[in-house]
Amino acid sequence: MTSPTPSPAPSPAAPPGGLGVDLHLDLSGAGSRRAALIGALREAVRHGRLAPGTPLPPYRTLAADLGVARNTVADAYAELVAEGWLTSRQGSGTRVAERVAAPSPGPVRTTAPPPLPYDLVQGKPDPAAFPRAAWLAAARRALTDAPDEAFGIGDPYGRTELRRALAEYLARVRGVRTSPERIVICSGAAHALRLLARVLGPGPWAVEAYGLPFHRGLLAGAGVATVPVAVDAEGARTADLPRHARAVLLTPAHQFPTGGPLHPGRRADALEWARASGGLVVEDDYDGEFRYDRRPVGAVQALDPDRTVFLGSVSKSLSPALRIGWMCLPGSLVEPVVAAKGLREPHTSALDQLTLAEFLVSGGYDRHVRRMRQRHRARRDRLVAVLAERVPGVRVTGIAAGLHAVVGLPSGTERAVLAAAARHGVAVEGLAPYRHPDAEPVPGGLPDGLVVGYATPPERSYGPALDALCAALREALEETRAR
């Protein structure tokens, strides 16, 4: 005697208003609606569009969505349960069977090499150091107090709350002279440079002879030629700024990457150049908050706010994932920059801006920066001590600041050291790629070096990373001496 087909367990009633799980199915095939529904569900499971364990809509909801009878859906579910494609239990509804495996899409081919185990590449804070609990608390407070209009189209100037908080913070911590009306929120230094290049138009920019290749490439992509200005232990030689340049891009707090601060006399020279030539000083406040041997020197912008653009971001202090930066502009540039940015703000979330504003006002940002300052100082001190003990032939240059240090190498050894570092599993960069291709050598400058980022590794792997770096340095330097 053939046993009757088991009746499927009743599916949970649809929530009020017909709400339920959305499911796209194409019933345009030939045959009855029941057969078309069975075929569509089977194909969705077979091809992985419905993963194992996925809950299916209740009978009534799916029937209403597809315009078929409720019994049609119930019969289709029952048949697929019997075939093993679906499971149905009282109280849990109908789901895709766990044993049904989606087809593998096959291996993904890639030419990217696997990452090295020890990451000492500069420019990246330790992701684990992000203050999640404090940020979440600030986000809750910010969302609770946010006006309804904050959930509409963004303001190209940036949220008023954040611009007010930044004006107060930057004045207190960096000595910046500005007002909320002169601050425009952007998504970081790169976004700011693109906007400024568009506003200033054709004409060369002076840049430090050592700097980020990415920034030089960004300016070149905007049609802006760059003219290198020599760098030494006192920063850029601003007395040599070309008179025809439209702007000069400087990192006065901590020259990137060589590590020296801009000498007071050279700060004055830069501003005198700007006044005499009609040019603009673009101050990238790189590492401005992270000085360890003394209090940070104030911003150049404070000396002449009408000839200086001050750039900052939270990429190093909090996380590059936030994509929040700012420009403190001369009054004459605010409207042109906002016009270049566009009427809609597609780059920086208004909710993140509100959270950062609350984080600043509540003191959470100050507390986090102080913690990170202590951590980074300890890591830099450890790097200096370990190298002095184990590899006395090299030296750390520059001031105690920032998230990286330059390790000076004997002339002609940079490539050998980088190759040895890779063999020992250390990801690190040499100094050469940061040198402007048109830069002239400076007597007494650094011909070879490593740019060591000490902020990125988790605490547990920082010691092993330094061990591997020292081993690579010893190996490469001994091989070089033996030749």
Side-chain angles (χ1 to χ4, degrees):
M1 180 175 178
T2 304
S3 59
T5 302
S7 299
S11 192
L19 300 177
V21 178
D22 284 336
L23 180 61
H24 171 74
L25 296 170
D26 183 3
L27 305 187
S28 60
S32 68
R33 304 288 275 175
R34 174 180 175 278
L37 177 56
I38 290 172
L41 285 168
R42 195 183 286 131
E43 285 301 300
V45 174
R46 180 184 291 122
H47 290 98
R49 201 161 59 80
L50 291 177
T54 301
L56 297 184
Y59 306 149
R60 186 180 305 160
T61 301
L62 187 58
D65 288 348
L66 298 177
V68 301
R70 182 178 180 276
N71 286 343
T72 299
V73 177
D75 290 347
Y77 279 10
E79 181 160 332
L80 292 172
V81 167
E83 292 177 2
W85 293 94
L86 306 179
T87 61
S88 184
R89 290 186 299 174
Q90 182 72 34
S92 63
T94 304
R95 296 175 178 269
V96 177
E98 292 287 351
R99 68 182 182 85
V100 179
S104 170
V108 177
R109 294 183 179 181
T110 178
T111 58
L116 296 174
Y118 304 119
D119 188 355
L120 294 177
V121 175
Q122 67 79 29
K124 299 181 294 182
D126 179 5
F130 185 80
R132 300 188 191 201
W135 185 262
L136 179 59
R140 286 174 174 156
R141 294 192 299 269
L143 287 174
T144 299
D145 297 337
D148 292 343
E149 52 87 14
F151 300 92
I153 296 173
D155 183 346
Y157 290 84
R159 291 297 307 176
T160 302
E161 298 90 339
L162 178 56
R163 290 187 286 126
R164 281 200 303 261
L166 281 170
E168 187 278 330
Y169 175 81
L170 295 173
R172 172 169 55 85
V173 174
R174 301 294 297 120
V176 170
R177 293 165 54 199
T178 190
S179 65
E181 294 75 25
R182 288 192 175 198
I183 296 177
V184 174
I185 304 302
C186 55
S187 63
H191 185 206
L193 290 178
R194 287 190 182 97
L195 292 172
L196 290 172
R198 196 179 310 166
V199 169
L200 297 182
W205 284 34
V207 297
E208 294 165 330
Y210 284 88
L212 275 175
F214 172 67
H215 286 170
R216 294 196 296 265
L218 182 154
L219 291 172
V224 175
T226 55
V227 180
V229 178
V231 170
D232 58 26
E234 295 182 341
R237 295 184 173 183
T238 51
D240 300 332
L241 287 172
R243 198 168 186 84
H244 65 286
R246 298 296 306 274
V248 57
L249 176 60
L250 299 173
T251 51
H254 186 218
Q255 201 288 319
F256 180 84
T258 62
L262 189 61
H263 186 275
R266 295 186 179 184
R267 290 172 169 237
D269 287 341
L271 294 173
E272 182 57 35
W273 165 86
R275 297 182 194 113
S277 66
L280 189 69
V281 175
V282 180
E283 178 179 11
D284 182 353
D285 196 41
Y286 184 83
D287 289 341
E289 295 160 313
F290 293 112
R291 181 82 183 254
Y292 312 131
D293 57 345
R294 51 167 291 177
R295 291 184 62 83
V297 176
V300 172
Q301 185 267 2
L303 302 176
D304 194 340
D306 290 327
R307 301 298 334 163
T308 308
V309 174
F310 180 89
L311 309 181
S313 79
V314 297
S315 295
K316 305 296 186 297
S317 57
L318 282 171
S319 168
L322 289 176
R323 308 310 308 150
I324 300 179
W326 49 86
M327 291 181 275
C328 301
L329 295 158
S332 61
L333 286 181
V334 173
E335 293 301 329
V337 165
V338 171
K341 192 178 182 187
L343 295 178
R344 292 177 182 259
E345 171 52 33
H347 301 283
T348 304
S349 161
L351 303 185
D352 285 343
Q353 291 185 55
L354 290 170
T355 301
L356 179 57
E358 171 62 26
F359 205 45
L360 286 163
V361 171
S362 67
Y365 187 76
D366 284 89
R367 290 188 290 273
H368 173 71
V369 167
R370 282 197 295 270
R371 282 195 299 271
M372 298 313 297
R373 197 179 286 141
Q374 292 172 350
R375 175 176 176 172
H376 295 156
R377 176 173 187 166
R379 287 200 170 194
R380 188 184 188 280
D381 289 348
R382 187 174 176 185
L383 170 67
V384 172
V386 167
L387 289 176
E389 177 186 351
R390 302 185 196 175
V391 198
V394 303
R395 60 190 178 92
V396 175
T397 66
I399 60 174
L403 279 65
H404 79 279
V406 170
V407 178
L409 300 173
S411 181
T413 62
E414 185 174 310
R415 289 187 180 180
V417 169
L418 289 173
R423 290 194 297 270
H424 285 266
V426 180
V428 69
E429 295 174 323
L431 190 60
Y434 293 94
R435 190 179 302 123
H436 194 289
D438 299 330
E440 297 290 336
V442 177
L446 285 173
D448 288 72
L450 293 183
V451 182
V452 180
Y454 46 75
T456 303
E459 200 62 42
R460 66 182 180 279
S461 64
Y462 186 56
L466 292 184
D467 293 341
L469 176 65
C470 290
L473 284 165
R474 288 197 303 267
E475 176 184 300
L477 296 180
E478 287 170 4
E479 289 177 357
T480 303
R481 284 193 292 266
R483 290 176 187 163

